[in-house]
Amino acid sequence: MSPDRRTAVAAGLLFLLTEVAAIAGAVLYRPLLGAADGRLAQGADTGALLGVLCEVVLVVAVAGTGAALFPVLRRHGEGLALGYAFGRLLEAAVIAVGIVSVLALVTLRRDAGAGAGAAGADVALAAVHDWTFLLGPNIALGLNTVLLAYLTYRARLVPRFIAVLGLVGGPLICASAVAVMFGAYAQLSVAGSAAALPVFAWELGLAGWLIVRGFGPGSGAAPRADREVADPAGVRR
């Protein structure tokens, strides 16, 4: 297996891992974040802590996709490749802030005698998680999706229809996040879920293609400008 093929498989598996970890974390957090009376239901703290572990895996996988793809992407635009790698790190950092808020919320809600001040902190911590969920896996994810989809489209690293899903889905999930920010609809709603579907399909399609087929034939080709700098006389040895 060539280095690029190993990179493709690793990146594909990391993308699949981000989907599984993100969905599992969201499901496991629901009883904690949705508690109306500010108290933990039976077993909700255990579920939330399992959700934290899932999101720790998510943080590693998100950062890992940027690192894994960088050696291939840099051949087709080092600036954009760096932007994607750092964008994924930023996305992971925002998710990590949300993880800390959930851990603090678990600690607070374990105190059955919480008073008015604790209730206010409870609401604030839940709000921090909700905002990080909006800024990380929505706005940052959307911008990163556009960067990667553009690079894969331009370099023909994957079939065009997969790249187009990212080029459509990235701006759409960003626009949806802005709509949620200004109160047009709730993030966990039919409209919010529909806006996230193209990015979900893009990541699944990209992961499947990279695992099964790898990068397209253009993955090893350096841009023309780079070749001219390396060999200004145009001599092929």
Side-chain angles (χ1 to χ4, degrees), residues 69-235:
L69 289 172
F70 179 74
V72 173
L73 297 180
R74 70 182 299 184
R75 302 169 193 162
H76 307 281
E78 188 164 5
L80 292 176
L82 277 172
Y84 179 71
F86 281 109
R88 290 299 263 180
L89 282 175
L90 175 62
E91 184 182 339
V94 173
I95 295 170
V97 173
I99 292 173
V100 173
S101 72
V102 169
L103 288 171
L105 188 55
V106 168
T107 300
L108 185 64
R109 289 189 176 178
R110 277 175 172 170
D111 182 3
D122 182 291
V123 173
L125 289 169
V128 168
H129 176 271
D130 291 343
W131 280 110
T132 56
F133 188 72
L134 187 71
L135 295 174
N138 283 265
I139 292 179
L141 172 63
L143 295 175
N144 290 331
T145 295
V146 171
L147 275 177
L148 182 57
Y150 172 71
L151 279 167
T152 57
Y153 183 92
R154 187 178 71 175
R156 296 181 179 271
L157 297 178
V158 297
R160 290 291 177 90
F161 75 91
I162 295 178
V164 167
L165 270 176
L167 290 172
V168 172
L172 185 59
I173 199 170
C174 283
S176 176
V178 172
V180 171
M181 190 181 297
F182 285 94
Y185 49 81
Q187 188 169 5
L188 297 178
S189 62
V190 174
S193 299
L197 278 177
V199 166
F200 180 71
W202 142 260
E203 291 201 343
L204 285 184
L206 177 64
W209 186 270
L210 291 179
I211 293 169
V212 175
R213 301 294 296 274
F215 296 110
S219 64
R224 181 176 180 181
D226 292 344
R227 293 199 303 268
E228 288 174 354
V229 169
D231 189 7
V235 177

Side-chain angles (χ1 to χ4, degrees), residues 20-34:
V20 173
I23 292 171
V27 170
L28 290 166
Y29 280 162
R30 279 303 97 199
L32 175 75
L33 298 175

